Amino acid sequence: MGEEKKNRDLIPSMIKNKEKRAEVHANLKNQKKLEKRKRAKARDAAEKQALELGEEPPPRKTPRTIENTREVDETVCKPDDEELFAGNDADEFSSIIKRDIVPKVLITTCRFNSSIGPDFISELLSVIPNAHYYKRGTNDLKKIIEYANARDFTSLIVVHTSRRKLDGLLIIGLPEGPTAHFKISNVVLRKDIKNHGNPTGHEPELVLTNFTTRLGLRIGRLIQTLFPQDPNFRGRRVVTFHNQRDFIFFRHHRYIFEGKENKKEVDSKTKSKDKGEKASQPKVVARLQECGPRFTMKLISLQHGTFDTKGGEYEWVHKPEMDTSRRRFFL
């Protein structure tokens, strides 16, 4: 006991000897681990006892995370904000989201694209329904926008590559904007995903999560306009854009519902058959299979209108001084 108390009082950073410091640090770490395990056992025992007595178990403490301790933001959307809903009904995306117009997407590359660009685009074409590829060549982006507007495209996606790596993505709403510029990273193509599935031609379900601020809602609605608003549930395809700490994670899955039987259930079935009782139905479990591609996006800027580097007016631009706090998020 005396030695344990001594170890508690010792601060590893105050010990000059490296070996002794490492030993004390390891002991402290192990001690904390044992204490944590004791607390968990005591909590589980208290919950079990409460359930046996027919009482409500004591409420569990919510762990402190960066997400639930984020800085207070006035732009976070509220469910009773009538002004916000009125603005959504009159914005550039409302005609597609209300199903008045069917989305039609044009995908192109930057001027000097590497070999990974077409591979990534071919996978995007399989993810986004009613998407078409246009070879960029040396054409200016303004000419491509004019071409897309003349053929009733609702969105334009420009895939940017640099040094044989994908590094940027432009999503332009047509005909009047806005233009979102994303940095793209951690790209994994379908062929590199282990046990990947192959997508069908069915229109996918779209899942957008954690876009809580006004800027986040605007970005979410821009992404929403790329996909038809009437998914075909028979295809069991899901496209997910999950925002976490201002990083948007893209995933593409197929799902299936399976009946799963535990060993205990199998044993009980055999017993019930012997007694002549009705067997219980197997538990239904959802299983996911990733179809790819997989990538992460981070918003760099949101611009009014179509892409214009010289005279464009920006709604929001990311600056280095915005990253001074780990608990400040914008989406």
Side-chain angles (χ1 to χ4, degrees):
M1 282 292 286
E3 206 171 304
E4 278 181 24
K5 200 176 181 183
K6 208 176 183 182
N7 280 346
R8 275 183 192 173
D9 297 338
L10 279 171
I11 301 167
S13 59
M14 300 289 284
I15 301 165
K16 291 181 180 180
N17 188 295
K18 188 181 176 181
E19 287 181 8
K20 183 68 179 172
R21 187 168 64 242
E23 188 189 332
V24 170
H25 176 71
N27 288 339
L28 285 170
K29 200 174 179 183
N30 189 42
Q31 207 171 315
K32 280 182 182 177
K33 198 176 178 182
L34 290 168
E35 283 173 4
K36 191 179 178 182
R37 203 176 289 168
K38 274 182 188 176
R39 285 198 301 271
K41 278 184 179 178
R43 187 185 65 230
D44 291 343
E47 281 181 5
K48 195 178 179 183
Q49 192 179 358
L51 288 166
E52 282 172 0
L53 294 167
E55 298 172 358
E56 279 191 18
R60 288 199 171 196
K61 291 180 181 178
T62 52
R64 280 173 60 87
T65 61
I66 289 176
E67 280 83 5
N68 63 24
T69 57
R70 68 182 286 178
E71 287 183 7
V72 178
D73 191 352
E74 292 175 359
T75 64
V76 170
C77 301
K78 292 173 184 174
D80 57 347
D81 194 342
E82 291 177 9
E83 187 189 335
L84 180 68
F85 292 120
N88 287 346
D89 290 338
D91 68 2
E92 311 95 315
F93 318 122
S94 58
S95 56
I96 295 172
I97 292 168
K98 287 176 181 176
R99 303 181 190 179
D100 297 333
I101 300 170
V102 176
K104 189 180 175 186
V105 183
L106 184 69
I107 304 175
T108 188
T109 60
C110 58
R111 278 184 179 174
F112 306 102
N113 64 306
S114 62
S115 58
I116 195 170
D119 293 342
F120 179 70
I121 285 169
S122 68
E123 295 198 6
L124 275 186
L125 290 168
S126 68
V127 171
I128 302 169
N130 204 14
H132 306 268
Y133 173 63
Y134 180 82
K135 195 174 180 182
R136 175 73 180 268
T138 56
N139 291 318
D140 193 46
L141 191 56
K142 286 185 179 178
K143 284 186 178 178
I144 293 170
I145 290 168
E146 285 172 13
Y147 170 87
N149 281 330
R151 283 155 183 80
D152 297 325
F153 282 96
T154 58
S155 298
L156 173 64
I157 297 174
V158 183
V159 177
H160 193 273
T161 57
S162 175
R163 297 178 183 179
R164 297 184 181 179
K165 281 187 179 180
L166 289 158
D167 68 342
L169 202 70
L170 271 177
I171 301 176
I172 304 169
L174 297 175
E176 295 173 355
T179 301
H181 178 210
F182 297 93
K183 181 186 174 185
I184 191 169
S185 59
N186 303 330
V187 179
V188 183
L189 298 177
R190 187 179 300 138
K191 61 182 180 181
D192 301 320
I193 296 171
K194 194 179 178 183
N195 300 326
H196 67 81
N198 293 314
T200 59
H202 298 85
E203 289 175 351
E205 300 167 51
L206 182 65
V207 178
L208 296 162
T209 56
N210 213 19
F211 293 89
T212 52
T213 64
R214 292 208 169 202
L215 175 66
L217 184 69
R218 194 151 167 75
I219 293 298
R221 283 173 73 81
L222 176 64
I223 291 167
Q224 200 175 344
T225 57
L226 301 174
F227 296 87
Q229 305 306 303
D230 49 347
N232 191 335
F233 296 103
R234 284 182 179 274
R236 304 191 308 276
R237 282 178 68 199
V238 183
V239 172
T240 308
F241 289 87
H242 173 68
N243 172 44
Q244 189 170 356
R245 303 180 192 179
D246 287 349
F247 287 93
I248 301 167
F249 298 92
F250 172 87
R251 296 292 183 271
H252 179 207
H253 291 95
R254 288 192 72 210
Y255 61 88
I256 191 167
F257 295 106
E258 291 180 338
K260 195 177 182 183
E261 292 182 350
N262 294 332
K263 198 178 179 183
K264 288 178 184 177
E265 286 177 2
V266 172
D267 294 339
S268 63
K269 266 188 182 181
T270 51
K271 285 177 184 176
S272 61
K273 274 183 183 178
D274 296 337
K275 290 178 183 178
E277 294 174 6
K278 282 186 178 180
S280 60
Q281 289 183 345
K283 189 181 177 184
V284 178
V285 179
R287 190 166 63 83
L288 289 174
Q289 185 181 33
E290 193 169 355
C291 298
R294 183 194 301 170
F295 58 89
T296 307
M297 305 192 304
K298 187 168 173 65
L299 184 66
I300 303 298
S301 66
L302 183 65
Q303 186 182 9
H304 279 296
T306 55
F307 186 70
D308 187 2
T309 49
K310 290 180 181 178
E313 186 186 337
Y314 287 89
E315 290 183 44
W316 186 87
V317 181
H318 179 264
K319 292 174 184 175
E321 55 264 28
M322 292 177 172
D323 298 332
T324 51
S325 172
R326 290 178 68 206
R327 287 176 169 78
R328 189 185 300 140
F329 307 120
F330 301 99
L331 299 181

